[in-house]
Amino acid sequence: MVLSGETAAGRLAIIAGGGLLPSYVAEAARAAGENPVIVALKDESDRRWDGYDHAVVGIGDFATLDGFLNRYGVGRVVMSGSVRRRPEWREVRPTLRILMKVPAAIRTLLSGGDDTVLQMVIRLIEGNGRRVVGAHEIAPDLLASVGPLGAVVPGEEDRRDISRAAEAADMLGRLDVGQGSVSIGGRVVALEGLEGTDEMLDRVTGLRAAGRISPRRRGALVKLCKPQQDIRADLPAIGVSTILNAAKAGLAGVAVEAGRSLVLDRAAVIKAADEAGLFVCGVDRGLAAWGLE
């Protein structure tokens, strides 16, 4: 017998990091008739989860996580939201099943890139018979589509900057470092690292103010999924803050990978971009000119 809020595949759990994405995924799950449980990551999740079955779990505390998922009969897990730091090895609390894998897991946490760490976490979660699913499988409306999303269309110089920034973002992703890049006048001026997209845009604003970047050239931010990335976790995402920070940095617009990136609160993003005179568009690495011509 399937209980209320469950499916034949088991109840859905949302591991919630920071930002808006976990809330959108939870709302989409409820709209689809599910009753998700929330695992709010300690010192990362910044939402209130009143009205949901939830628990606060430390990063690396696999023992508590496993017990919580067992308690609610969870069969599927979504990993969503940002994580600002990795756990120290002293914070890792394994289950007996994971215990033999701890040395390798700690090495990955200390030295692996973000994608490597996420793949390890997915393997650990799925090793107990559960299935990790992508946020886009629960909330498909968040996925970016090819072409302009708002009223502003990138011009010829913008398309050159998109192409240049996309090339840089692709190479950066292959190194498992980041997902974003900024090109201005055909020159790559910023690459995303651990600081994240908004902080990278702050650097561009500072470079512009210091006269290191031409005030006459606008430029573009591009965010791509890493080529080797497991799309069930950490898809590139943009929101209203991305648009506002891009405008502050003097950019002409923002491009994200269609079908492999998330647009949070699409209507608000488009409204903010249109009001600022910025383009927002989806690009496809498999199409000529990234699908913009």
Side-chain angles (χ1 to χ4, degrees):
M1 179 178 68
V2 178
L3 301 178
S4 175
E6 298 182 3
T7 73
R11 201 164 172 185
L12 176 70
I14 298 170
I15 298 180
L20 296 172
L21 180 58
S23 295
Y24 285 115
V25 175
E27 290 166 6
R30 278 198 164 168
E34 302 223 40
N35 183 21
V37 298
I38 309 297
V39 180
L41 295 179
K42 184 179 180 181
D43 300 325
E44 298 290 347
S45 178
D46 48 12
R47 306 283 113 182
R48 291 186 61 88
W49 295 107
D50 300 337
Y52 291 88
D53 293 323
H54 68 278
V56 177
V57 177
I59 298 177
D61 188 352
F62 292 102
T64 299
L65 172 64
D66 202 51
F68 179 76
L69 299 182
N70 284 335
R71 175 185 174 189
Y72 286 100
V74 169
R76 293 159 299 138
V77 177
V78 175
M79 299 165 60
S80 64
S82 62
V83 175
R84 293 170 295 181
R85 72 174 189 90
R86 297 184 185 184
E88 299 290 339
W89 66 268
R90 298 176 185 84
E91 298 175 88
V92 176
R93 293 186 59 214
T95 62
L96 289 175
R97 179 182 55 81
I98 293 174
L99 195 58
M100 296 301 294
K101 301 178 182 179
V102 164
I106 290 175
R107 284 196 299 271
T108 301
L109 287 171
L110 294 177
S111 62
D114 288 345
D115 190 58
T116 303
V117 170
L118 288 170
Q119 289 179 17
M120 177 203 71
V121 173
I122 288 172
R123 287 195 300 271
L124 293 178
I125 292 173
E126 292 196 328
N128 206 27
R130 301 183 180 94
R131 184 166 65 93
V132 174
V133 297
H136 60 287
E137 297 178 63
I138 306 300
D141 290 347
L142 296 179
L143 284 172
S145 53
V146 175
L149 304 184
V152 183
V153 177
E156 183 177 350
E157 183 174 346
D158 299 328
R159 292 196 296 271
R160 285 197 296 268
D161 275 322
I162 290 171
S163 179
R164 184 66 170 162
E167 291 172 2
D170 182 76
M171 287 188 284
L172 188 68
R174 291 181 191 278
L175 294 173
D176 196 6
V177 175
Q179 300 170 322
S181 172
V182 174
S183 172
I184 297 176
R187 174 190 178 196
V188 175
V189 300
L191 299 172
E192 182 186 33
L194 293 176
E195 80 280 18
T197 304
D198 287 342
E199 286 78 3
M200 175 182 65
L201 291 173
D202 284 344
R203 283 194 281 119
V204 176
T205 300
L207 289 170
R208 186 91 74 176
R212 300 288 301 276
I213 299 172
S214 169
R216 298 185 302 274
R217 299 289 183 88
R218 297 189 68 189
L221 161 68
V222 175
K223 296 191 70 172
L224 301 180
C225 192
K226 297 172 185 176
Q228 75 281 5
Q229 186 170 332
D230 189 321
I231 64 171
R232 292 175 293 175
D234 196 30
L235 285 182
I238 61 170
V240 172
S241 68
T242 315
I243 302 303
L244 298 179
N245 284 317
K248 184 179 177 182
L251 301 184
V254 177
V256 294
E257 186 170 2
R260 285 157 58 91
S261 295
L262 306 174
V263 180
L264 307 182
D265 200 347
R266 183 182 301 245
V269 164
I270 292 172
K271 182 176 184 291
D274 287 349
E275 289 178 350
L278 270 64
F279 65 79
V280 183
C281 63
V283 296
D284 189 327
R285 70 177 80 215
L287 298 177
W290 296 86
L292 294 177
E293 294 181 355

